[in-house]
Amino acid sequence: MPWPLALLVLASVLPELALQGADMGLWGSARWRPFAYEHFAFWSGLLGGWIPNYAAQPWLMFLSYAFLHAGFGHLLVNMITLVSVGRAEIDRVGVWRFVIIYIASALGGAVGFELLTSKLQPMVGASGALFGLVGAWVVWDICDVMRERPALSTLAWAILWPVVLLSGLNLLMYWAASGNLAWETHLGGCLAGALLAPFMMRKPPASQV
C-alpha cells in the first residue's frame, strides 16, 4: 500500500479503535468519545461565538474532523473507499498530488459544512476528502473526453452522469443514515477536489514526429 494511504488509514483507524474499546469498557472511559468529539470534531458554533476548549481548536478542526468517525461501520465504508479510490488516484497523478487533493478536499468539506449547515451537532468523517478525490477524478475524465472525443453530446454525458450518480448516492446515504448525513461536507469536498483537479493533472507525453 502506498505510504500516504497507509498513514491516512492508520490516522483514522487507531482513534476509532481506541474509542470503540473505551465504548465497550475494555479500557479508558466512556467519556473518551465525547471528549474526542468535543475537542477534534468540526463544530460550526466555534466560528459563531462559542468558546473553544483550546486556542487552536477553531483552526485545527478544519482537518482533525476528517480522522474521527461515528462508529465502526462509518469507518469501514470510508476506509474501503479511501484505499480503492486512493490507489487509483496515486497511480494516475502520483503521491504528492494525491496528498494535496486529499487535504484540500478535507478543508473544502469543512468550509462547505460551515457555509451551508444549520446544525449544531459535531461533524466527523473522511467523507469530504473522499468526495474530493471523486470530484477530481470526474474532472480528469471530462478532460480526457474533451481531448479525445470533443463532441458536445459526449461532453454533456460525461458531465451529467457523475452529477446524477453522486446525487443519487447522497440521497441513498441520507436515507440509510435517517437524515443524519453531512451532505454539505460532501458537496464542499467534491467542489474543492474538482476545482483543484486541472492543476494536478500530469501532462500527457509529447507526441513523436
Side-chain angles (χ1 to χ4, degrees), residues 64-82:
S64 61
Y65 82 93
F67 300 100
L68 292 174
H69 288 81
F72 184 73
H74 186 207
L75 172 74
L76 183 63
V77 170
N78 278 351
M79 292 303 98
I80 291 174
T81 305
L82 171 59

Side-chain angles (χ1 to χ4, degrees), residues 14-202:
L14 292 180
E16 185 57 35
L17 286 179
L19 298 181
Q20 285 284 337
D23 291 344
M24 294 185 291
L26 300 177
W27 50 67
S29 159
R31 277 286 303 158
W32 278 20
R33 188 177 294 275
F35 180 89
Y37 289 176
E38 288 166 9
H39 289 75
F40 302 107
F42 190 94
W43 297 87
S44 290
L46 289 174
L47 301 178
W50 290 9
I51 298 175
N53 292 298
Y54 52 95
Q57 186 178 8
W59 306 105
L60 180 62
M61 69 177 183
F62 276 83
L63 277 179
S64 61
Y65 82 93
F67 300 100
L68 292 174
H69 288 81
F72 184 73
H74 186 207
L75 172 74
L76 183 63
V77 170
N78 278 351
M79 292 303 98
I80 291 174
T81 305
L82 171 59
V83 172
S84 57
V85 176
R87 280 182 182 274
E89 204 132 318
I90 288 173
D91 288 343
R92 184 161 189 168
V93 298
V95 164
W96 289 110
R97 288 181 175 91
F98 163 79
V99 171
I100 291 170
I101 293 169
Y102 191 90
I103 293 173
S105 299
L107 293 172
V111 171
F113 187 79
E114 171 60 25
L115 292 177
L116 299 174
T117 193
S118 58
K119 302 171 184 174
L120 296 179
Q121 63 261 44
M123 183 271 289
V124 295
S127 300
L130 299 179
F131 269 84
L133 298 180
V134 174
W137 192 278
V138 169
V139 169
W140 294 330
D141 278 352
I142 290 172
C143 291
D144 289 344
V145 169
M146 292 176 63
R147 184 169 59 250
E148 298 170 7
R149 301 183 300 277
L152 183 59
S153 59
T154 305
L155 177 60
W157 175 246
I159 296 172
L160 180 61
W161 79 260
V163 172
V164 173
L165 179 62
L166 292 175
S167 298
L169 178 61
N170 271 279
L171 287 173
L172 180 61
M173 293 168 66
Y174 187 87
W175 172 79
S178 301
N180 192 24
L181 179 76
W183 63 266
E184 305 93 340
T185 308
H186 298 174
L187 178 60
C190 188
L191 289 176
L195 290 172
L196 189 58
F199 305 100
M200 296 291 106
M201 295 176 64
R202 280 177 168 166

